[in-house]
Amino acid sequence: MTQRRAEDPSALSPQARERAIAAMSDSTQPELDLLVVGGGIVGTGIALDAVTRGLSTGLVEQRDLASGTSSRSSKLVHGGLRYLEMMDFALVREALQERGLLLTRLAPHLVRPVSFLYPLTHRVWERPYIGAGLTLYDGMAMVGKHRMGLPHHRHLTRKGVSRIAPDFDPDALAGAIQYWDCQVDDARLVLTIARTAAAHGAQVATRVKVTGFLREGERVVGVRARDLEAPGSAELEIRAKVVVNAAGVWTDEIQDLLGGHGALHVQASKGIHLVVPRDRIRSEAGFIMRTEKSVLFVIPWGRHWIIGTTDTPWDLDKAHPAASRSDIDYLLGHVNSILREPLDHDDVEGVYAGLRPLLSGESEPTSRISREHTVAMPVPGLVLIAGGKLTTYRVMGRDAVDAAADSLSQLGLTVRPSITDRVPLLGATDYETRQNQRVLLARRSGLNIARIDHLLERYGGRIDDLLALVEARPELGEPVDGAADHLGAEIVYAVTHEGARHLDDVLTRRTRISIETFDRGVTAAPAVATLVADELGWDAARTAEEVDHYLRRVEAERQSQLMATDQEADEARVQVGDAV
């Protein structure tokens, strides 16, 4: 078992989880100033905002960090071109400012530029129309206080397109416009925010399910919860001056625990994505296409492409949304309309489906509902937040804590303004230095330059932690069987520092082995489980159980993707639930 550095407050180790639960539920200690329910991008953003303002802060999540929507997005940090067409200028400008902040200051190790082609299929009106929109898009990014950090868009002829994307069908195009946005591994962003919050003193505990609210009169003063990892699911009481519900698509369910005092109503919209090998589409840039309902992205993702997304209502199982064959056919059909060689189902390495939490009460289709967020306080001591988008998580966190501050002020507590625009995320510090030292790091560690680059893009300045693991245990410097893109050290670190509790956590969110290999991680599962078992103290039976659960989950997903309808796909997928 790996020796852990107990002094690292950012480590979400098994011991840190136990300490967090004990601290939050200790009735002899002062109550928390603020408790966050939900460990997605919004919840972790709120926790970071609160703790860096000086509030004693806790966060509980009933599953894993980023286990819902926040690990199943298009993985873009962007303003949202289509919101310009919806005339939602304020949302676009805000998102572009946050994009610049993440790229240049907060998370340069996680957020990186990506270029897209906007194919033009109409010879007369489309180029000036789209060009005007992109001029406005770039202009909005430039006028704020955070530098744009990206090139301006440029116009391409058909010949220019063929040089960048030789697999595009020239007969289907009149040219293109190239523009730049950013991308991020969404699950790693959530994890990094959570670890940053923990480093500043927040208590973070996953697999803790809220079962009710503690009340004193009308005021909410905490929650009742269950530790799902403890024998018998131990009951807990966690007291807090303010509780913030950031449960995403589960917002209505959490509100039901109030007994009907709901202020927000959230509609789930399903979006699915396909992962295909990079060599199936020869192109130096991603591309974006208009569809009859929304827009579709084809996004470069290492040695792969991510294709998505759909945007359809979903009222079935929220924990395990399922992609149907109809969804997959829809995406393939649109992409194939501009490719020389069409993609088919055999080209698909991975599929994932997620649910966007949209504020409902509107008659429009989900693709027309704005991603702006709303904050409400239905009863004293409880803040609700819903809506929004990945890129603006920091703004959502600030607004939620501002709302909580109003309630805290009634209790005599003064809350300082948000400073998260000046708090780099874990790994940002020393990232550029370690980049400059990449050759030296490779020489000292015995790893090749490509491995060092891979680790820098995942851990930033915290690459030192991984290299120390490899130095202490040289066998961890070897690639994982069945998932050669990753080292054994990454698997161990996922448990000792990144809060992974189960095999699924590692294969699906700490790494993306589940969608980046044709067998969806089936071959890698035993080797990864062995490494995890050593850190968590699993015996052979428990290790085999974790592998069996993962394999059954993969098979359930494969079966769901053969079904024609959402109902049939859901029935196939829910045959296998969560590990706990």
Side-chain angles (χ1 to χ4, degrees):
M1 183 176 289
T2 301
Q3 295 297 312
R4 298 172 181 84
R5 295 185 299 170
E7 70 277 5
D8 182 358
S10 74
L12 300 179
S13 65
Q15 295 82 358
R17 177 183 180 276
E18 292 175 8
R19 290 194 298 269
I21 291 174
M24 289 189 286
S25 59
D26 187 348
S27 60
T28 67
Q29 297 298 313
E31 63 190 347
L32 294 168
D33 293 328
L34 186 144
L35 175 67
V36 182
V37 178
I41 187 68
V42 178
T44 54
I46 293 168
L48 179 58
D49 190 278
V51 75
T52 54
R53 296 197 201 198
L55 300 176
S56 60
T57 303
L59 181 148
V60 293
E61 160 59 45
Q62 69 173 338
R63 300 165 72 201
D64 184 26
L65 292 170
S67 59
T69 307
S70 299
S71 60
R72 307 177 192 180
S73 74
S74 297
K75 311 189 192 318
L76 292 176
V77 174
H78 65 143
L81 267 180
R82 70 190 180 99
Y83 303 128
L84 284 181
E85 199 165 37
M86 295 167 64
M87 311 294 283
D88 205 340
F89 300 120
L91 176 63
V92 175
R93 184 178 182 278
E94 180 180 76
L96 288 171
Q97 293 304 302
E98 292 301 307
R99 183 191 72 179
L101 188 59
L102 282 161
L103 176 65
T104 62
R105 182 187 298 177
L106 301 184
H109 57 309
L110 299 177
V111 177
R112 55 191 56 88
V114 59
S115 71
F116 289 97
L117 300 179
Y118 194 114
L120 303 173
T121 56
H122 300 277
R123 296 185 181 280
V124 179
W125 63 269
E126 196 173 22
R127 188 180 291 276
Y129 178 72
I130 300 302
L134 284 167
T135 298
L136 181 59
Y137 195 68
D138 287 346
M140 285 181 170
M142 292 176 62
V143 297
K145 58 183 178 180
H146 307 300
R147 61 191 176 93
M148 180 174 169
L150 296 171
H152 293 275
H153 73 277
R154 63 181 185 134
H155 288 259
L156 300 173
T157 63
R158 287 173 64 180
K159 184 177 290 187
V161 173
S162 67
R163 283 195 290 266
I164 294 175
D167 275 355
F168 281 17
D169 181 359
D171 295 334
L173 303 177
I177 304 178
Q178 186 176 22
Y179 76 100
W180 277 259
D181 253 318
C182 292
Q183 66 180 172
V184 69
D185 184 328
D186 46 8
R188 291 210 67 79
L189 178 62
V190 172
L191 169 66
T192 304
I193 296 168
R195 289 190 63 193
T196 307
H200 290 291
Q203 305 288 352
V204 178
T206 59
R207 264 75 184 209
V208 175
K209 181 178 181 179
V210 171
T211 58
F213 289 100
L214 301 175
R215 307 286 289 271
E216 290 182 1
E218 275 292 295
R219 188 175 188 88
V220 169
V221 294
V223 301
R224 289 187 300 276
R226 288 190 294 127
D227 178 358
L228 300 180
E229 297 278 8
S233 297
E235 298 286 339
L236 309 168
E237 284 194 358
I238 303 174
R239 301 186 71 84
K241 296 182 177 71
V242 175
V243 176
V244 182
N245 174 26
V249 294
W250 284 273
T251 295
D252 288 6
E253 284 80 354
I254 294 293
Q255 289 181 128
D256 288 344
L257 300 177
L258 280 174
H261 288 280
L264 302 178
H265 297 287
V266 171
Q267 179 178 347
S269 169
K270 184 180 73 169
I272 82 138
H273 294 80
L274 312 179
V275 182
V276 303
R278 188 68 177 266
D279 60 11
R280 278 299 284 114
I281 305 174
R282 289 181 300 157
S283 178
E284 298 172 12
F287 51 100
I288 178 175
M289 301 172 59
R290 297 171 69 98
T291 71
E292 63 276 11
K293 297 178 182 178
S294 181
V295 295
L296 183 147
F297 287 95
V298 179
I299 307 160
W301 184 254
R303 295 188 298 107
H304 315 270
W305 295 101
I306 291 176
I307 302 172
T309 181
T310 57
D311 201 337
T312 55
W314 178 265
D315 58 4
L316 301 168
D317 182 55
K318 292 180 179 178
H320 308 104
S324 68
R325 188 176 184 90
S326 300
D327 293 326
I328 297 170
D329 287 341
Y330 172 84
L331 293 180
L332 291 177
H334 279 285
V335 171
N336 287 339
S337 67
I338 64 166
L339 295 180
R340 291 178 187 265
E341 296 292 333
L343 302 173
D344 62 28
H345 286 260
D346 291 337
D347 294 310
V348 176
E349 294 176 287
V351 182
Y352 63 93
L355 300 178
R356 305 177 190 87
L358 305 180
L359 293 170
S360 64
E362 305 176 41
S363 60
E364 297 176 285
T366 58
S367 61
R368 296 292 301 174
I369 298 177
S370 173
R371 265 54 171 179
E372 287 189 279
H373 63 275
T374 298
V375 181
M377 186 175 287
V379 296
L382 178 66
V383 173
L384 306 176
I385 183 164
K389 58 201 294 275
L390 178 80
T391 305
T392 55
Y393 81 86
R394 194 194 63 81
V395 177
M396 297 178 71
R398 181 194 67 199
D399 291 352
V401 179
D402 283 347
D406 292 338
S407 183
L408 290 169
S409 67
Q410 298 170 15
L411 302 176
L413 188 63
T414 300
V415 180
R416 295 176 179 274
S418 175
I419 63 167
T420 50
D421 62 336
R422 304 187 298 280
V423 179
L425 300 185
L426 194 75
T429 303
D430 293 334
Y431 169 59
E432 288 188 74
T433 299
R434 294 295 178 267
Q435 267 196 318
N436 291 339
Q437 296 172 337
R438 55 198 283 272
V439 175
L440 180 62
L441 294 176
R443 188 183 307 131
R444 286 176 176 173
S445 66
L447 302 175
N448 61 45
I449 292 287
R451 289 289 183 193
I452 296 296
D453 289 341
H454 164 84
L455 295 175
L456 282 167
E457 290 181 357
R458 286 171 54 78
Y459 306 97
R462 298 306 293 255
I463 189 176
D464 295 356
D465 296 347
L466 280 296
L467 297 182
L469 261 179
V470 171
E471 183 178 9
R473 296 171 56 184
E475 73 277 10
L476 296 181
E478 296 298 320
V480 174
D481 289 344
D485 285 351
H486 295 278
L487 300 178
E490 297 175 73
I491 308 303
V492 170
Y493 194 76
V495 179
T496 61
H497 286 71
E498 297 181 339
R501 302 281 304 172
H502 295 275
L503 179 60
D504 185 71
D505 299 347
V506 177
L507 292 173
T508 306
R509 287 171 290 277
R510 302 310 182 276
T511 70
R512 294 314 180 100
I513 294 169
S514 65
I515 60 170
E516 292 180 349
T517 56
F518 268 110
D519 70 355
R520 306 194 184 184
V522 168
T523 301
V528 172
T530 299
L531 290 168
V532 175
D534 187 41
E535 301 304 318
L536 292 178
W538 294 345
D539 60 17
R542 172 63 188 279
T543 304
E545 181 183 323
E546 288 276 337
V547 172
D548 177 68
H549 177 271
Y550 182 77
L551 299 186
R552 288 187 293 111
R553 195 210 85 177
V554 169
E555 182 58 26
E557 289 180 345
R558 287 187 183 278
Q559 291 301 313
S560 72
Q561 292 153 20
L562 299 175
M563 303 301 171
T565 67
D566 280 354
Q567 184 70 47
E568 293 169 315
D570 176 71
E571 290 172 1
R573 177 61 187 88
V574 298
Q575 297 303 310
V576 181
D578 289 330
V580 294

